[in-house]
Amino acid sequence: NSSTETNQHFEVFNKLEIYKNENIEIFVPLSYGDFKYGMQVMKVGYEIFGDKFKPIIDFMNEQDYYKFLSTIDIGIFNHNRQQGMGNIITLLGMGKKVYMNPEVTTYKMFIDKNIKVDSFKLFDINS
């Protein structure tokens, strides 16, 4: 959801790399946060996924952003702290599959409330 190291982008890329020859697109919001880190994310993303890597570097207005989120099939939130709640809740409300870092308190909160989220540690694009 941002250009921040706590999102652990490279760990996600490592897990997704086995799918790089599949019919996928990887959208990575990088429109705010640490610019230098965001440039590293883009460099590695393009190296691994080529034109399937789609960094989002410009802000969208609210209506366009919700329209964009409606096109997403899977949301991956591998933060090592609470982040991205607006995006997570919006995607869940749209019926999208969401994977989260199971060590984060928000993951545990969703599980406790019987809200379906999946552990990023168990990620499988085919499930």
Side-chain angles (χ1 to χ4, degrees):
N1 68 301
S2 67
S3 179
T4 307
E5 283 187 61
T6 56
N7 293 328
Q8 305 185 106
H9 292 93
F10 303 118
E11 183 178 345
V12 175
F13 292 171
N14 288 338
K15 192 162 272 206
L16 294 179
E17 187 170 9
I18 64 171
Y19 304 107
K20 70 181 181 180
N21 295 319
E22 302 291 327
N23 182 22
I24 62 170
E25 291 181 309
I26 299 172
F27 294 93
V28 181
L30 299 169
S31 57
Y32 66 95
D34 180 342
F35 176 78
K36 185 177 176 182
Y37 174 76
M39 295 302 290
Q40 293 171 337
V41 170
M42 287 195 298
K43 179 181 182 291
V44 173
Y46 281 121
E47 285 173 358
I48 295 172
F49 302 106
D51 64 354
K52 294 178 180 186
F53 179 75
K54 312 287 184 183
I56 300 169
I57 55 174
D58 296 317
F59 283 99
M60 297 179 203
N61 68 45
E62 186 177 20
Q63 183 178 4
D64 289 342
Y65 192 66
Y66 287 133
K67 186 175 180 182
F68 161 72
L69 287 178
S70 74
T71 69
I72 298 300
D73 296 314
I74 300 169
I76 299 174
F77 298 88
N78 191 39
H79 316 114
N80 63 11
R81 64 181 177 89
Q82 181 177 315
Q83 292 183 172
M85 283 296 287
N87 289 326
I88 294 168
I89 290 170
T90 299
L91 288 170
L92 289 171
M94 292 176 173
K96 307 298 182 169
K97 185 146 187 99
V98 172
Y99 286 90
M100 295 179 68
N101 182 332
E103 302 303 316
V104 177
T105 57
T106 47
Y107 173 87
K108 295 170 186 166
M109 178 206 66
F110 285 126
I111 297 299
D112 288 347
K113 302 220 177 273
N114 293 318
I115 297 171
K116 178 70 171 138
V117 292
D118 291 284
S119 169
F120 177 65
K121 290 181 179 183
L122 303 175
F123 180 82
D124 179 359
I125 202 167
N126 298 309
S127 66

